[in-house]
């Protein structure tokens, strides 16, 4: 970006913690903006470069991204202004399986990222703003934990992933599911692929089911690599002890991604 570019502003959401012993404290989420595509960035870069053709800039950027993916798939490490990227692999195989090509279904390939100095500098120079979320009523899911996902920050999960046949645990505030009304429960709606698919969990299939935690078992046959929109519908208010006249539904900001398959 040019020196004349406006200073970046990063807005944070301050959300009251519902964890035991953390009363009166807040944790933070980043207020998400719209998703930018390569074409969006190319159009802005074209203006900085003196009104060059945005399509040409986008095509060049697309070529760079495809080359980066190809070299990463060959085991190269990439160093960019955003940071360093390296290919990773997880999984185990028996010695007898090493005589031929590895069974890809037993291995999980991915890419690890380490923030670079330019990216760190951009964050350090960004102006921070805070918006305090103090809603007294209504379900407020904060995130979803996968027991197989290692590493948390202040008791919150690093990402929304799930494993077929395993428990998923939603953490939040005022999220206890119950009460009367149509649709009360937890709904997963598939967002990838062309086939519309939903899974519904009534309150009796949710455990735990408290104002701060709602858990469910993801069916073992859930397709690996699929993504799902998560919504909670409840007829309870306050701390789960008040019956509402109607129901409240909330959709979680981030989709749920099922472990396995091709990783993005």
């Amino acid at each position: 970006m040019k020196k004349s570019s406006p200073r970046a502003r990063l807005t944070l959401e301050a959300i009251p913690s519902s964890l035991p012993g953390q009363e009166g404290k807040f944790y933070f989420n980043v207020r998400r903006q719209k998703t930018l595509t390569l074409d969006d960035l190319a159009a802005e870069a074209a203006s900085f470069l003196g009104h060059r053709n945005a399509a040409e800039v986008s095509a060049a950027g697309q070529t760079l991204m495809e080359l980066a993916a190809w070299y990463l798939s060959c085991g190269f490490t990439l160093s960019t202004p955003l940071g360093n990227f390296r290919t990773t692999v997880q999984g185990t195989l028996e010695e007898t399986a090493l005589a031929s090509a590895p069974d890809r279904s037993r291995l999980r390939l991915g890419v690890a990222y380490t923030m670079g100095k330019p990216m760190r500098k951009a964050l350090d120079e960004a102006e921070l703003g805070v918006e305090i979320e103090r809603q007294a009523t209504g379900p407020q899911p904060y995130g979803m934990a996968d027991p197989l996902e290692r590493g948390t920050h202040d008791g919150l999960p690093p990402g929304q992933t799930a494993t077929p046949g395993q428990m998923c645990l939603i953490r939040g505030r005022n999220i206890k599911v119950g009460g009367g009304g149509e649709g009360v429960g937890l709904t997963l709606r598939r967002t990838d692929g062309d086939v519309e698919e939903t899974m519904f969990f009534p309150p009796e299939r949710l455990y735990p089911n408290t104002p701060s935690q709602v858990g469910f078992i993801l069916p073992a046959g859930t397709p690996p690599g699929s993504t799902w929109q998560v919504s909670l519908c409840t007829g309870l208010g306050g701390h789960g002890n008040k019956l509402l006249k109607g129901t409240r539904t909330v959709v979680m900001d981030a989709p749920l991604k099922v472990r396995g398959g091709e990783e993005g």
Side-chain angles (χ1 to χ4, degrees), residues 136-139 180 183-185 232-238 242 244 246-250:
T137 61
V184 169
L232 289 170
C233 178
T234 182
L236 300 177
K242 179 181 179 182
L244 302 175
T247 60
R248 292 191 175 115
T249 300
V250 62

Side-chain angles (χ1 to χ4, degrees), residues 54-249:
E56 293 179 357
V57 177
S58 180
Q62 182 67 35
T63 300
L64 283 175
M65 296 298 100
E66 291 175 356
L67 281 173
W70 188 85
Y71 276 109
L72 280 169
S73 69
C74 292
F76 285 81
T77 296
L78 295 184
S79 178
T80 74
L82 287 178
N84 296 326
F85 300 81
R86 68 182 188 280
T87 311
T88 63
V89 60
Q90 296 178 352
T92 60
L93 294 173
E94 300 291 340
E95 183 177 1
T96 55
L98 303 180
S100 58
D103 181 358
R104 296 178 65 92
S105 66
R106 300 286 301 277
L107 301 176
R108 184 185 179 196
L109 299 177
V111 174
Y113 165 74
T114 303
M115 188 160 42
K117 289 183 179 180
M119 185 69 250
R120 169 53 64 189
K121 182 174 183 292
L123 286 177
D124 289 344
E125 294 179 350
E127 178 184 355
L128 296 182
V130 175
E131 295 180 359
I132 302 178
E133 300 289 338
R134 293 185 180 274
Q135 298 177 359
T137 61
Q140 300 173 49
Y142 299 154
M144 182 175 296
D146 180 347
L148 299 185
E149 180 79 48
R150 296 292 184 259
T152 62
H153 178 68
D154 290 339
L156 293 170
Q160 298 217 142
T161 60
T163 303
Q166 298 291 327
M167 172 180 280
C168 301
L169 189 64
I170 299 174
R171 291 174 175 155
R173 185 166 180 253
N174 301 334
I175 62 173
K176 184 175 181 179
V177 177
E182 183 179 356
V184 169
L186 182 145
T187 301
L188 300 182
R189 180 171 289 104
R190 190 167 180 177
T191 57
D192 66 301
D194 299 327
V195 179
E196 184 173 343
E197 186 177 353
T198 61
M199 290 188 283
F200 179 71
F201 301 83
E204 57 267 23
R205 291 181 59 191
L206 302 176
Y207 182 82
N209 185 13
T210 71
S212 60
Q213 296 186 102
V214 172
F216 65 97
I217 302 295
L218 187 68
T222 306
S226 58
T227 56
W228 302 76
Q229 179 192 75
V230 183
S231 61
L232 289 170
C233 178
T234 182
L236 300 177
H239 296 289
N241 53 11
K242 179 181 179 182
L243 190 63
L244 302 175
K245 293 182 179 180
T247 60
R248 292 191 175 115
T249 300

